Amino acid sequence: MSDTKPVIEVENLVVEYGRGRKKIRAVNGLSFQVHQGECVGFIGANGAGKSTTMKTLMGFIFPTSGITRVFGEPATEGKSRQRIGYLPEVALYYPFMKARELLELYGGLHGLSRSDLKKKIPAMLEKVGLAGRGEILLKNFSKGMQQRLGIAQSLIAEPEALFFDELSSGLDPIGRYELRDLLMELKEQGRTIFFSSHELSEVESLCDRALIIHRGQAIREGTVEELIQSSRTIDLHFTLNDLSKVSESLRSRIQPDGARFHMTTDASESLADVVAQLAQVGAQNIRPEVKNNALEEYYMRIVRETETHNDF
Amino acid sequence: MTQTLRNIGLIAKSILLEAIRRKEVYVVVFVACLIIGTVMTMDFFQIQGITKFYREVALKVMSLSTGLMVVLLSARQLPREFKNRTIYPLLAKPISRNTFLLGKLVGAMAAAAFCFALFMAVYLTGSWYLGGDVPWALFFQYVYLQMLMMAVLSTLSFLLSMTLTLSAATTIVVLLFILSATITSATTFVYYTLDQLGQWVIAFLTYLIPQFTLFDLSAKAVHAQQWEPLSLKVMMALTLYAGIYCLVFFVGSALLFKKKAL
């Protein structure tokens, strides 16, 4: 955790929709912080509570209980919006407007002068890959182009913090690649970036930290390196003459692999202990193979574990 | 304060832009022009009093069309923002919900004024073609009162669109607007046939529902020879009357919108 000031503070956030029997708890006691200059990925399945949390941070939804602060100000008051760029999960933009006019509207609402906007808009359109498209009506924009424009509108006032809900939604592979470059650039400029995404490779390559949310609760939080590290597994390949000598608990983990056997250990157990146990039952030629599971695999495992233990 | 006014202007400008670029305003004006044009052709038959007839029809058509336009424009503003999710990037900017709402209201009014201005151009061209003097004092009073009526219609549409579906809100406001004269006549007639409790209910409803007929000066503007322009006192009273309704409806909308989860 960083020593810098928190840009986002969420404490025991609860958000409920509906009333009476139809009441749904979308966020259930979520707590986390995002510090200045950090890039944090917000991971979770559909309906996990990511967008609800984002909307609460933007002051669109009011918490049932708990605290949400952005730049030290209560999120519900919206005072911090001057310093935030926000990209909603799905947004259509006014079809009767041209791209330039839309950016003029949003930039103007941020307090940018006409002369500033005149300079910034072409540069911004170029940055998001829409150079020369400023005079096209938005009804003629594809979904990907609208998403690019959405990114442009969130960056137009050069905000200190960026909140992106489903960042690469609607973008093609090239768009995603370009976006990754853009985010790297923003990160290098020291901007705080908090984004939700289903693209875990995106989170893995860009983020300092990741927060995994499941059914409205944070189930894991840490640096991406920590999370991947804890998911690191080692495959042990070996030969074994008599499997019946092996204890039941160990035997259930051993898989035949041609003429040999293999078993997988995870970061929570001591490799030396496992090797000693295998040697004790007559395993020979033990060859370890280290595997670094990607964040995606880690995420899948953690969610399955959480579901199995039902510990939320 | 300056930035708040600028923000209101920016949001209003986007609605005006929509009104100018979408075809529906022009369709309404075109249909109205057809009706007015048909009346003008009667000049060919040299019917006596055609100028008055033209003015009467033209002003009624203009009033009705602009009223419908303002209701449609105002009632759909918020539901469409929610439906298309355009509200999120907009409210993510440093503007308050009240500023957003006021911008929308001003925009809807400006778009209605644009529509009305098109009608005016048609009306004045027709008047010039048919000859006869335009009673300017009454005519300007008519235009001013029409603007007040549009403001009331617009704020009422906003309020109802916050609580009802778009079609329900539009239908209610359109019915109140179109049937205003009938409602006024009916309640006046029924009032004297009721007991005290019934009269209280009728009186309550009379004050609750805006009386749109009060803003209709078209008959006076047509028969200008028989009518003097309204006194300043009456104009101020009507302004106050419209202002109170606008304020109540707008504050109601703002309170509902402030608490609305988006």
Side-chain angles (χ1 to χ4, degrees):
Chain A
M1 195 73 66
S2 169
D3 294 332
T4 53
K5 277 189 288 182
V7 171
I8 300 173
E9 292 168 87
V10 175
E11 284 174 40
N12 210 18
L13 176 67
V14 174
V15 183
E16 289 174 341
Y17 292 117
R19 285 177 191 170
R21 284 184 178 181
K22 288 182 180 173
K23 196 184 275 183
I24 297 166
R25 187 167 278 207
V27 179
N28 188 12
L30 183 67
S31 298
F32 68 93
Q33 287 190 342
V34 175
H35 292 257
Q36 220 157 25
E38 271 191 315
C39 179
V40 177
F42 198 28
I43 310 169
N46 290 334
K50 302 187 301 292
S51 290
T52 301
T53 307
M54 284 279 191
K55 283 181 184 174
T56 311
L57 287 172
M58 292 309 297
F60 299 153
I61 290 174
F62 307 106
T64 307
S65 65
I67 294 167
T68 46
R69 281 195 211 97
V70 180
F71 286 110
E73 302 279 358
T76 45
E77 289 177 16
K79 285 180 187 168
S80 50
R81 286 193 213 128
Q82 185 68 44
R83 302 164 75 180
I84 302 170
Y86 172 69
L87 176 73
E89 183 186 7
V90 183
L92 297 172
Y93 298 94
Y94 303 107
F96 55 86
M97 274 189 165
K98 295 172 181 172
R100 171 187 52 80
E101 290 166 344
L102 189 88
L103 293 181
E104 275 173 1
L105 168 66
Y106 291 140
L109 292 176
H110 256 296
L112 297 179
S113 67
R114 279 180 169 217
S115 54
D116 271 354
L117 287 167
K118 214 169 181 178
K119 282 180 222 155
K120 277 188 176 184
I121 290 172
M124 191 52 70
L125 287 172
E126 193 174 346
K127 199 173 235 179
V128 296
L130 291 175
R133 309 277 176 99
E135 297 305 316
I136 297 175
L137 285 174
L138 299 184
K139 67 179 179 187
N140 298 320
F141 267 38
S142 68
K143 197 181 169 193
M145 285 164 81
Q146 293 229 5
Q147 186 72 352
R148 284 168 190 259
L149 190 65
I151 295 163
Q153 65 80 20
S154 69
L155 297 173
I156 190 78
E158 297 181 26
E160 292 169 58
L162 293 156
F163 298 177
F164 295 140
D165 199 356
E166 299 302 344
L167 180 61
S168 52
S169 157
L171 289 180
D172 56 27
I174 296 170
R176 286 179 188 189
Y177 184 81
E178 287 171 355
L179 179 64
R180 206 169 291 192
D181 278 353
L182 178 61
L183 285 181
M184 286 303 279
E185 186 188 321
L186 294 167
K187 198 179 153 185
E188 278 162 19
Q189 287 168 3
R191 294 185 210 275
T192 309
I193 304 170
F194 180 59
F195 72 92
S196 70
S197 179
H198 288 300
E199 285 294 316
L200 300 190
S201 58
E202 209 164 61
V203 175
E204 197 176 335
S205 61
L206 286 167
C207 293
D208 306 309
R209 283 196 301 126
L211 172 70
I212 302 176
I213 182 172
H214 187 63
R215 297 199 182 183
Q217 286 186 324
I219 52 171
R220 288 292 186 280
E221 187 186 357
T223 65
V224 172
E225 187 52 39
E226 274 168 10
L227 297 178
I228 294 173
Q229 183 75 20
S230 69
S231 180
R232 179 172 289 148
T233 57
I234 301 172
D235 269 7
L236 293 171
H237 298 266
F238 50 89
T239 53
L240 188 64
N241 291 331
D242 190 358
L243 195 61
S244 62
K245 284 184 184 173
V246 182
S247 68
E248 182 60 39
S249 60
L250 201 58
R251 197 190 310 158
S252 63
R253 296 170 59 191
I254 295 174
Q255 303 289 324
D257 183 10
R260 295 164 66 87
F261 291 91
H262 91 263
M263 70 173 279
T264 304
T265 67
D266 63 41
S268 63
E269 17 182 26
S270 155
L271 181 63
D273 287 350
V274 178
V275 170
Q277 278 182 54
L278 287 172
Q280 213 168 15
V281 294
Q284 289 176 326
N285 303 320
I286 301 171
R287 182 171 58 80
E289 187 188 329
V290 179
K291 277 192 171 180
N292 271 327
N293 286 4
L295 189 60
E296 195 164 314
E297 284 176 47
Y298 172 75
Y299 169 75
M300 293 305 294
R301 185 165 64 84
I302 289 301
V303 169
R304 278 188 197 128
E305 270 176 30
T306 312
E307 285 286 346
T308 310
H309 296 137
N310 201 17
D311 59 355
F312 47 82
Chain B
M1 185 64 184
T2 318
Q3 183 59 36
T4 306
L5 289 176
R6 189 183 175 212
N7 291 344
I8 291 170
L10 283 165
I11 295 168
K13 188 182 156 190
S14 71
I15 297 165
L16 189 60
L17 201 63
E18 180 187 13
I20 291 168
R21 287 194 181 150
R22 285 177 71 130
K23 294 176 182 72
E24 55 201 2
V25 170
Y26 304 109
V27 170
V28 172
V29 173
F30 179 70
V31 171
C33 287
L34 273 183
I35 298 168
I36 295 167
T38 310
V39 174
M40 280 172 71
T41 56
M42 290 183 185
D43 187 42
F44 175 77
F45 302 107
Q46 299 194 322
I47 299 167
Q48 209 176 8
I50 186 67
T51 310
K52 278 188 180 177
F53 180 58
Y54 159 75
R55 282 190 184 145
E56 199 157 349
V57 172
L59 291 179
K60 283 284 178 202
V61 168
M62 279 160 53
S63 175
L64 195 67
S65 308
T66 317
L68 292 177
M69 203 66 205
V70 79
V71 172
L72 290 173
L73 275 169
S74 308
R76 76 176 178 208
Q77 287 304 324
L78 295 171
R80 213 183 34 187
E81 286 278 349
F82 296 131
K83 190 184 166 202
N84 294 340
R85 302 176 182 217
T86 41
I87 197 164
Y88 296 122
L90 204 60
L91 280 186
K93 304 293 176 267
I95 58 164
S96 70
R97 290 191 181 197
N98 286 347
T99 305
F100 168 81
L101 205 59
L102 204 53
K104 287 277 174 193
L105 182 69
V106 172
M109 287 292 299
F114 165 70
C115 181
F116 199 62
L118 291 179
F119 282 130
M120 284 296 117
V122 175
Y123 172 76
L124 292 174
T125 309
S127 286
W128 170 78
Y129 175 75
L130 292 173
D133 290 334
V134 174
W136 289 109
L138 265 169
F139 178 71
F140 282 123
Q141 285 187 337
Y142 162 81
V143 172
Y144 175 72
L145 292 181
Q146 284 292 296
M147 292 292 160
L148 290 183
M149 185 188 75
M150 280 187 240
V152 178
L153 278 172
S154 186
T155 46
L156 178 60
S157 305
F158 266 98
L159 177 67
L160 293 185
S161 72
M162 204 76 72
T163 46
L164 304 170
T165 61
L166 174 59
S167 22
T170 311
T171 308
I172 290 173
V173 186
V174 166
L175 283 178
L176 283 177
F177 170 56
I178 293 176
L179 301 177
S180 184
T182 315
I183 293 170
T184 308
S185 312
T187 48
T188 311
F189 175 74
V190 168
Y191 183 82
Y192 295 105
T193 64
L194 296 172
D195 59 7
Q196 201 172 27
L197 180 67
Q199 288 186 343
W200 282 349
V201 172
I202 291 288
F204 173 74
L205 286 175
T206 306
Y207 286 109
L208 181 74
I209 302 166
Q211 304 297 311
F212 294 110
T213 42
L214 290 176
F215 303 108
D216 188 4
L217 268 193
S218 56
K220 287 189 175 68
V222 171
H223 305 285
Q225 292 90 338
Q226 286 98 347
W227 297 93
E228 286 293 312
L230 298 182
S231 68
L232 186 64
K233 203 172 152 185
V234 173
M235 290 299 281
M236 282 173 71
L238 284 169
T239 307
L240 185 68
Y241 178 77
I244 290 168
Y245 276 107
C246 287
L247 191 69
V248 169
F249 293 152
F250 182 76
V251 170
S253 310
L255 287 174
L256 287 170
F257 189 47
K258 198 174 181 180
K259 290 179 179 174
K260 195 172 178 70
L262 305 176

